[in-house]
Structures are given as structure tokens and as C-alpha cells.
Amino acid sequence: MVRIEAIAAPISLGLGLALFATGFVSQVVSVLASSHADGGPLVWLPGGILLAVLMSVAPSRWVPCVIGIVFGVALAASLPDGSIVQNGTPLVLTLALIPLGAHGMRALCADTSPMRTFRNLAGFVGLFVIALPIASSAAELTINPNGIREQDFESAMHFALADALGYLLFAPMWFRPRARWSTLRRMFVPDSWPALAALASLATIWFLWNTFGALQHVRPLLLLAPIPVVVFTALRARVAGAYALVVLIAIVAILLSREGRGPFVESDASLTALSFMSWILGAGVASWLLAVLIEQRVHTRRALAHSSREVRELSERLIDAQEQERSRIVRDQHDLAGRLLEAQEQERSRIARDLHDDVNQRLASVSIELSAIRRGVDAQSRADLGHLQDELIALSEDVRHISHNLHPSMLRETGLDAALALLCNTQRHRNGPSIELHVMPDADHLPAAISLCLYRASQEALGNAIRHGRARNIAVTVGVLDRHVELRIDDDGIGFSTTDGAARARGLGLLSLDERSKLLGGSFDLETGPGKGTHICIRLPLPSHPLR
């Protein structure tokens, strides 16, 4: 804490010295800018400078700033003809009141720009354009030792307008509007025609004021002439552009008035000064009002753009979340389907094992017992028992086929080629269609999951072609190409429509084939139509390691 105070002390002292020099110079410049013989000022600079500094630094450093500028102004006012009023006391009083106004302005704005709302701007105008200048003028009239005379009112009015113009002149230094000085680049970038148009309009105003300023009946129109160019500049370059243009117009008004020309010239030099000072003050306040409108429009547009960007980002996040949720659901469905198929295969294996090891063995035992019984009965009963034994043997064979279809042990023991050959021979002998089988040699070395998928697909497709398609010729082809294995099953059956109820009735088997293919990262394609047969193609990717 001691170190911080040790650092802050030289900074505060430096500010005080800087404000002392600034107050001295600004007071001298204000005196030199007097517009008439009695020393009435055009603008009083120290007040505006002090306000700008107080609004830009921390309140803890206000005291050295105020003391520095007060002593600087007092020193300059003590010089011959160094004061803009007959008594320098109002100047010191005004400087002492500025911190109160700055404190009120900080409380009103709450660390935001006075250009943000009309309330803030109204507070600035009420405090520094009306209240403080009037208080300073009243102090000048009250302290006057010679009493209040008529010309004193005119001098007090001069000082009030000069004081108000000083605050208005340095306001951009602490307003910190969203439109920075860099917005002046908009008058030149991407092209310079706006700046040239503004300068041409300024030259036109100078010409009109210089040529027709003496005509009383056109003076109201001449005073309104700058409005279009101010509005154009404010729209193009916002606050900074409007401020710069008003300053240039004020310079034109001062130069013309000093030469006795223009719409502000009156019978007396003092009245002339009051005329253009009042107009400049009104034009400045109007420009700030226009600037507030523009700043609010820009702020609203940026807020809308920000809201639009947030809505767009929110929409993108929602879409991403929906896509992720959809992907999760699909993944969960695939996982569930995989687990169901795995459970189905396990259940098929258990049932097949029970049929083979239990039911079939019991049927064989019954057949053996019947053979023993046949030897001890008469011829008629022996024939009946023989017929019953034949039916029992056929039943045992059917159970064996069912067991094999549920879980083809040959697929594991002899490979896919032999298992498919047995499946095709069984269907050919039992149902009679012509079935051609072509299997590449590498097919016997496929992973177990792929072999089982191809076998189940062939089993389902052959059953559909024979039962539903009434096919007479079927071709089954298994090939290994480009790290993919492909199963093609083509028949000449009656086909079916993929949109009718029949397709939906047999759709469970087709859905099973599609789901099995997707679980292994492959694809399932079906081409069919009434009278066009059915063509099935299943492509499955092979693992990266080489086949055995």
C-alpha cells in the first residue's frame, strides 16, 4: 500500500503541474480570442479543459488537477488585460464548481457515454450549458463592486456563452462515444467523395453567407443552410464528423463576422458576437442531439446483429445437438440390434444343441426300442411298427435339419463354401429349384462374424425366393474384391413391389439382412419389381489384417 501511494504521488503532482501550464495557456488563448474591444470572449477554454480532465481521470486525482488549473488561470488573469471579466473571482469560482458538476455527471451516466441516451445528454446540457454558465454569470454580477449596470448584463451573457461553448468544445475528449475519431475515415474510405462533398458544401455556405448575409429577409434561410450537410456528415462519420464540421462552420462564422459580413452581423460588435455565439451553441447542442439518435441507431443495429449472431449460434448448437442426439439414437439402435442378433444366435445355438443332443437322441432311442419290439410281434403288427419307425426316422431327420438351420455347425467346422453348398443342396433336393453356387477360394478364410452374416443372408434370401417368389432358377455368388466381400443372390421369381403390403409382410427378414449388414459396416441393396425377379447384393468391408 505504501508503495502504491509512493507511485501515485508523483503522478498526481505531474497532473497538477500539467494543469497549471494548461490553465495558464488556455486563459491567455481565451483572451486573445476576444472578439471586441471590451474584451468579451468568444470561448472560455479552461472550464472545458478541466471538465474533460476530471471526467477522464480517477476522482482521487481531482484535487491536484483543480488546484493546478486554478493557479494557472489566476496567474494569467493577473497579467495586464489577462482576464476575460472585470473581476477574476468568477473564474476561480467557476473552476471550483466544475468538480461538483463532474461528480453529478458521473453519477448520472454510471460510467457510460453521455451519447448513449437522451437522459445523459440532457444532464450534460442542463449542468454545463445552462446551470453552470448561469451560476458563473450571476457570480460576476453579484461580486461587481460598482453595482449592476445594463452593460454588465451583456458582459455576463458573453461570459455565460463563452463558458458553455468551452464545455461543448472539449466534450468529445471525455464523451467516449462508440463512434471514435477513426470514424472520420469513413469520409475518405473507400472513396473520398463524401469528404469532398462536405468541403464543397462548406465552401457553398461560406459563399452564401458572404454574399447574401446582409439581406435581412434571407437570413433565416442562411442560418438553416448548414443543416443538410451536418446531417449528411453525422450519418456518414457519426459524432466525430458532425463535431469537426460544426467547428469548421464556427470558424467560418467568426472570420466573416470579424470582417463585418455574414448573417450574424449586427449594429454593434458585441451584439454580433452574441449572435453567432448563440447560433454556434444551439447548432452544437442540436448536433449532439442528432449524434445521440445516430449512436442509438448504431447501438440498436449492433445489438440486433449481436442477437442475430447469438440466435444463429444457438440454432447451430441446437442443430449440432440434434445431430448428436440422432447419431446417439442410431448408434444405440445399432447396438441394441447387434445385441438382439447376438442373443438370437445364442438362443438358436442353445435350441439347436438341445434338439441335437436331447430330442434327436431320444428319438433315436425310441427308434431302437421299436426295432426290439418288432422282433417279438406278429407280421401285421411288425408292418405297422415298421411304418411308425419310418415316420420316426423322418421326424428325426427333420429335427436334424431344423437344428442345422438354427446353428450351422458345418460353418465353423468346414467353412463358408461347404456350408453354403449344403444349404443349396438341401433347398434343391427338398424344393426342386435350380441353384447355382459360385464361391471364391478366399471365402473360407473370412472372419466368423462375416461368414455367419453371409450364411444367414443366403438362408433368408433362398427361403424368400422359394416360398414367396416361386423362383425356378437361383444364382448365389460370393466374391472377395478390394478388401470387400460381396454376396449376390439373383432369382427369376415373380418379384414384388417394395411399397405394397406384401413387401411389408416379408419385411422382417429383409430388415434383418439390412441390420446385419450395417452392424458390420456394410451395405444391403435390393432390386425387385413385379415380374422382374429379385436381386440382392450385400457388401461387407474386410478387416485390415490379411486373410488367413
Side-chain angles (χ1 to χ4, degrees):
M1 185 69 181
V2 174
R3 180 175 176 82
I4 295 175
E5 292 178 354
I7 296 174
I11 296 177
S12 299
L13 181 60
L15 281 174
L17 294 176
L19 265 295
F20 173 80
T22 303
F24 181 85
V25 174
S26 60
Q27 177 66 19
V28 172
V29 172
S30 300
V31 173
L32 294 177
S34 296
S35 61
H36 48 84
D38 63 356
L42 291 176
V43 60
W44 188 57
L45 302 177
I49 294 175
L50 178 59
L51 177 62
V53 172
L54 295 183
M55 295 298 293
S56 303
V57 301
S60 59
R61 296 177 180 171
W62 283 10
V63 173
C65 295
V66 174
I67 293 175
I69 199 167
V70 165
F71 277 100
V73 171
L75 179 61
S78 65
L79 299 176
D81 296 329
S83 177
I84 60 173
V85 293
Q86 295 180 2
N87 190 335
T89 304
L91 303 180
V92 177
L93 178 61
T94 301
L95 294 175
L97 292 176
I98 290 176
L100 297 177
H103 178 74
M105 199 66 203
R106 277 178 175 262
L108 178 65
C109 296
D111 294 330
T112 62
S113 170
M115 301 302 298
R116 186 64 56 83
T117 64
F118 284 107
R119 187 195 68 171
N120 292 354
L121 184 62
F124 168 76
V125 173
L127 283 174
F128 299 105
V129 179
I130 299 176
L132 196 56
I134 290 177
S136 302
S137 300
E140 181 184 0
L141 292 174
T142 303
I143 300 174
N144 191 347
N146 299 324
I148 301 176
R149 297 170 298 178
E150 182 177 354
Q151 59 268 27
D152 292 335
F153 284 102
E154 185 177 322
S155 176
M157 188 176 297
H158 268 289
F159 179 62
L161 291 175
D163 193 15
L165 286 176
Y167 300 131
L168 202 62
L169 178 64
F170 289 96
M173 294 179 61
W174 60 273
F175 264 17
R176 300 186 183 94
R178 296 183 67 86
R180 305 293 183 180
W181 285 102
S182 59
T183 56
L184 283 174
R185 295 178 63 251
R186 298 183 182 182
M187 297 293 290
F188 304 93
V189 178
D191 48 60
S192 58
W193 73 264
L196 296 177
L199 292 177
S201 300
L202 185 63
T204 303
I205 292 172
W206 177 86
F207 173 77
L208 293 175
W209 282 1
N210 183 58
T211 306
F212 305 103
L215 302 178
Q216 294 291 336
H217 57 282
V218 297
R219 279 190 176 184
L221 293 177
L222 295 178
L223 296 177
L224 296 177
I227 293 178
V229 65
V230 171
V231 173
F232 167 78
T233 306
L235 291 174
R236 181 73 184 189
R238 305 212 323 248
V239 175
Y243 174 81
L245 186 65
V246 170
V247 171
L248 292 176
I249 294 174
I251 294 175
V252 170
I254 292 172
L255 294 177
L256 289 177
S257 298
R258 283 184 175 275
E259 296 176 1
R261 297 192 298 271
F264 306 105
V265 176
E266 301 291 343
S267 58
D268 181 75
S270 178
L271 294 177
T272 300
L274 287 175
S275 177
F276 71 71
M277 288 171 67
S278 301
W279 184 88
I280 292 172
L281 184 62
V285 173
S287 299
W288 289 123
L289 291 173
L290 177 62
V292 171
L293 289 174
I294 295 173
E295 289 300 319
Q296 288 187 344
R297 187 190 71 166
V298 172
H299 178 69
T300 302
R301 185 172 63 226
R302 290 182 177 178
L304 289 175
H306 179 69
S307 300
S308 176
R309 184 166 58 252
E310 288 184 341
V311 170
R312 184 169 59 252
E313 292 175 353
L314 179 60
S315 300
E316 292 174 354
R317 288 197 296 269
L318 289 176
I319 293 174
D320 291 341
Q322 290 176 352
E323 290 295 331
Q324 293 176 1
E325 183 67 15
R326 188 179 297 112
S327 300
R328 187 190 64 79
I329 293 174
V330 171
R331 186 169 59 252
D332 291 346
Q333 289 176 343
H334 287 172
D335 293 342
L336 178 60
R339 289 194 294 270
L340 289 176
L341 290 174
E342 183 179 357
Q344 184 185 54
E345 290 296 333
Q346 292 176 355
E347 187 66 14
R348 283 184 172 187
S349 177
R350 186 189 64 79
I351 294 174
R353 186 168 58 253
D354 290 344
L355 289 175
H356 182 272
D357 297 340
D358 184 15
V359 177
N360 225 20
Q361 295 300 322
R362 292 168 64 183
L363 289 174
S365 297
V366 172
S367 179
I368 293 173
E369 291 177 2
L370 286 175
S371 296
I373 294 173
R374 285 178 61 187
R375 289 192 294 269
V377 298
D378 56 34
Q380 181 63 38
S381 297
R382 188 180 300 116
D384 293 339
L385 289 174
H387 177 70
L388 179 60
Q389 189 175 22
D390 291 339
E391 291 293 330
L392 192 61
I393 292 173
L395 176 60
S396 178
E397 185 67 20
D398 288 340
V399 170
R400 189 181 67 82
H401 281 298
I402 293 174
S403 174
H404 176 75
N405 289 335
L406 287 174
H407 186 71
S409 58
M410 183 177 289
L411 182 64
R412 182 180 64 255
E413 296 169 356
T414 61
L416 181 63
D417 191 358
L420 288 178
L422 178 60
L423 176 64
C424 292
N425 287 333
T426 301
Q427 295 288 357
R428 187 186 300 116
H429 293 155
R430 297 181 66 180
N431 300 289
S434 172
I435 302 177
E436 296 183 3
L437 175 65
H438 303 280
V439 181
M440 294 182 64
D442 288 341
D444 280 337
H445 306 297
L446 295 171
I450 293 179
S451 297
L452 180 61
C453 178
L454 297 179
Y455 182 84
R456 291 299 185 199
S458 302
Q459 192 178 41
E460 180 70 26
L462 289 174
N464 286 341
I466 295 170
R467 289 192 304 271
H468 304 294
R470 299 193 290 273
R472 304 308 305 166
N473 297 284
I474 305 173
V476 179
T477 305
V478 179
V480 180
L481 300 170
D482 273 343
R483 307 304 306 163
H484 281 76
V485 60
E486 182 177 277
L487 169 66
R488 299 189 66 89
I489 302 175
D490 304 303
D491 67 66
D492 61 352
I494 61 175
F496 60 92
S497 173
T498 57
T499 59
D500 61 11
R504 289 191 291 273
R506 64 170 66 93
L508 289 177
L510 298 178
L511 288 176
S512 175
L513 297 184
D514 186 24
E515 198 60 44
R516 286 180 180 272
S517 303
K518 289 181 178 179
L519 287 174
L520 295 176
S523 62
F524 170 79
D525 295 319
L526 172 68
E527 295 181 7
T528 186
K532 297 181 180 180
T534 302
H535 309 279
I536 293 175
C537 178
I538 294 177
R539 286 174 57 87
L540 302 175
L542 294 175
S544 57
H545 56 78
L547 298 177
R548 301 191 308 268

